[in-house]
């Protein structure tokens, strides 16, 4: 069974978020896919379950080391990259992925006949319960005054829910040490099992926000680049006019604290009926091989 390893949300190897993509063509059971995802032990592993087009798209399943996901960001872009490069082998402008959450379109941009950037449109964000600053401060091992009280701590979803936490400073973001007992206590009562924390200070002057994502409940203590979570963040930023406007066009850093610097591109805007969310980035091929 052929597989590929790519790094997503980076323009160079050995940065961004690792992804293994298998072309399995319907030969594996769900249990076997889960075991392989555990063996790979990346944040996510994907399986292209058919190279035939169905309803205009390709059937894909996504697994963390612990469970299957209905949607995830960097697996969507990384899998679309492999589909274009290894299956389609033509410069198509869009690829549709049939995921459990529904059909997700990925738009491809080229430079010198190679894919330079990929963008996915996520589902319109939905907004759910809010949380007290004290509760999240205990989980993050921070003082509650380090959380930006001008904005809510809220569960947001564009397919997978995340708890969005606004901080004031980069210093606070870098000092986070998850209290696992408090974390698991919190997520035992929430639909969201992961937390995105962000601040308006960055490592690089050309970037707009710094982000960290914690998802130990699904086998990922800290994720280096999380497209699904950043899509939720984009919707949150527009809803609460974080930048004073009803649209955003941003460069977001993630993964610096765990040695996997990543760059995610976010675009979102309020239309007459909903908030449209787009997340983009680059993908780099690292390896290919065969499972035996």
């Amino acid at each position: 069974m052929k597989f590929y390893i790519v790094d997503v949300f980076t323009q160079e190897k050995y940065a961004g978020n690792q992804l293994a993509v298998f072309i399995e063509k319907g030969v594996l059971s769900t249990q076997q896919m889960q075991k392989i995802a555990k063996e790979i032990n990346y944040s996510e592993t994907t399986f292209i379950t058919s190279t035939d087009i169905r309803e205009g798209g390709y059937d894909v399943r996504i697994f963390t080391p612990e469970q299957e996901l209905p949607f995830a960001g960097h697996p969507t872009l990384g899998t679309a990259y492999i589909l274009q490069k290894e299956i389609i082998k033509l410069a198509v402008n869009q690829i549709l992925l049939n995921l459990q959450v529904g059909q997700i379109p990925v738009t491809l941009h080229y430079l010198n006949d190679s894919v330079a950037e990929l963008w996915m449109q996520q589902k319109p964000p939905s907004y759910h319960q809010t949380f007290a600053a004290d509760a999240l401060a205990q989980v993050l091992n921070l003082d509650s005054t380090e959380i930006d009280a001008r904005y809510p701590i809220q569960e947001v979803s564009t397919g997978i829910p995340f708890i969005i936490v606004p901080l004031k400073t980069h210093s606070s973001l870098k000092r986070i040490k998850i209290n696992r007992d408090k974390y698991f206590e919190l997520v035992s009562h929430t639909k969201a099992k992961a937390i995105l924390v962000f601040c308006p200070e960055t490592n690089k002057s050309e970037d707009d926000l710094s982000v960290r994502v914690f998802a130990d409940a699904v086998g990922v203590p800290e994720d280096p680049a999380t497209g699904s979570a950043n899509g939720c963040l984009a919707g949150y930023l527009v809803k609460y006019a974080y930048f004073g406007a009803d649209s955003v066009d941003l460069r977001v850093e993630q993964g610096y604290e765990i040695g996997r610097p990543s760059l995610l591109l976010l675009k979102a805007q309020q239309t007459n009926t909903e908030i449209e969310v787009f997340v983009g980035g680059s993908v780099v091929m690292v390896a290919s091989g065969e499972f035996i």
Side-chain angles (χ1 to χ4, degrees), residues 1-66:
M1 186 170 52
K2 189 77 172 176
F3 77 98
Y4 302 87
I5 294 173
V6 294
D7 288 337
V8 185
F9 295 123
T10 178
Q11 295 180 328
E12 60 185 29
K13 292 180 181 179
Y14 318 128
N17 206 345
Q18 301 148 303
L19 177 72
V21 181
F22 286 81
I23 301 174
E24 68 92 25
K25 299 182 181 180
V27 300
L28 297 178
S29 67
T30 297
Q31 184 181 30
Q32 288 171 316
M33 291 184 203
Q34 186 64 74
K35 286 183 175 180
I36 290 172
K38 182 71 171 178
E39 179 75 12
I40 295 293
N41 210 36
Y42 291 163
S43 298
E44 282 99 8
T45 295
T46 65
F47 298 87
I48 300 168
T49 58
S50 175
T51 54
D52 295 327
I53 293 175
R54 182 179 64 82
E55 297 179 359
Y58 294 88
D59 293 346
V60 174
R61 297 177 70 178
I62 303 170
F63 290 79
T64 76
E66 300 296 333

Side-chain angles (χ1 to χ4, degrees), residues 5-250:
I5 294 173
V6 294
D7 288 337
V8 185
F9 295 123
T10 178
Q11 295 180 328
E12 60 185 29
K13 292 180 181 179
Y14 318 128
N17 206 345
Q18 301 148 303
L19 177 72
V21 181
F22 286 81
I23 301 174
E24 68 92 25
K25 299 182 181 180
V27 300
L28 297 178
S29 67
T30 297
Q31 184 181 30
Q32 288 171 316
M33 291 184 203
Q34 186 64 74
K35 286 183 175 180
I36 290 172
K38 182 71 171 178
E39 179 75 12
I40 295 293
N41 210 36
Y42 291 163
S43 298
E44 282 99 8
T45 295
T46 65
F47 298 87
I48 300 168
T49 58
S50 175
T51 54
D52 295 327
I53 293 175
R54 182 179 64 82
E55 297 179 359
Y58 294 88
D59 293 346
V60 174
R61 297 177 70 178
I62 303 170
F63 290 79
T64 76
E66 300 296 333
Q67 67 182 64
E68 185 171 7
L69 297 179
F71 170 71
H74 93 274
T76 297
L77 296 190
T79 305
Y81 177 88
I82 293 299
L83 282 166
Q84 188 279 328
K85 189 173 180 63
E86 302 296 331
I87 304 299
I88 301 170
K89 298 181 180 179
L90 296 172
V92 295
N93 293 324
Q94 187 180 78
I95 296 173
L96 302 178
L97 270 60
N98 302 326
L99 305 177
Q100 285 189 0
V101 76
Q103 199 166 68
I104 299 292
V106 178
T107 303
L108 297 85
H109 300 275
Y110 296 83
L111 180 64
N112 298 328
D113 299 324
S114 296
V115 177
E117 279 183 7
L118 301 95
W119 285 83
M120 62 186 145
Q121 182 172 5
Q122 297 187 5
K123 300 295 183 183
S126 56
Y127 305 88
H128 306 285
Q129 65 176 312
T130 58
F131 302 85
D134 285 345
L136 269 297
Q138 290 180 46
V139 171
L140 303 173
N141 266 315
L142 297 176
D143 191 278
S144 60
T145 61
E146 297 177 85
I147 296 173
D148 192 339
R150 296 175 299 170
Y151 305 97
I153 301 168
Q154 187 168 26
E155 189 177 83
V156 182
S157 178
T158 60
I160 294 181
F162 290 83
I163 299 169
I164 308 294
V165 184
L167 296 184
K168 296 175 182 177
T169 68
H170 203 199
S171 173
S172 297
L173 186 85
K174 290 189 288 187
R175 288 198 341 271
I176 292 170
K177 299 291 184 185
I178 295 294
N179 181 321
R180 295 183 81 248
D181 290 341
K182 294 290 186 183
Y183 163 80
F184 280 104
E185 180 184 342
L186 174 72
V187 300
S188 69
H189 304 293
T190 61
K191 186 176 181 183
K193 304 304 178 188
I195 301 169
L196 179 148
V197 188
F198 76 97
C199 73
E201 298 174 348
T202 57
N203 294 283
K204 295 183 177 180
S205 59
E206 62 266 32
D207 298 335
D208 302 293
L209 294 173
S210 292
V211 159
R212 296 180 73 179
V213 173
F214 306 96
D216 210 356
V218 296
V220 185
E222 181 166 359
D223 202 29
T226 320
S228 52
N230 276 277
C232 297
L233 174 62
Y236 173 101
L237 297 170
V238 170
K239 180 175 177 62
Y240 296 109
Y242 186 87
F243 290 98
D246 62 0
S247 65
V248 295
D249 186 352
L250 305 172

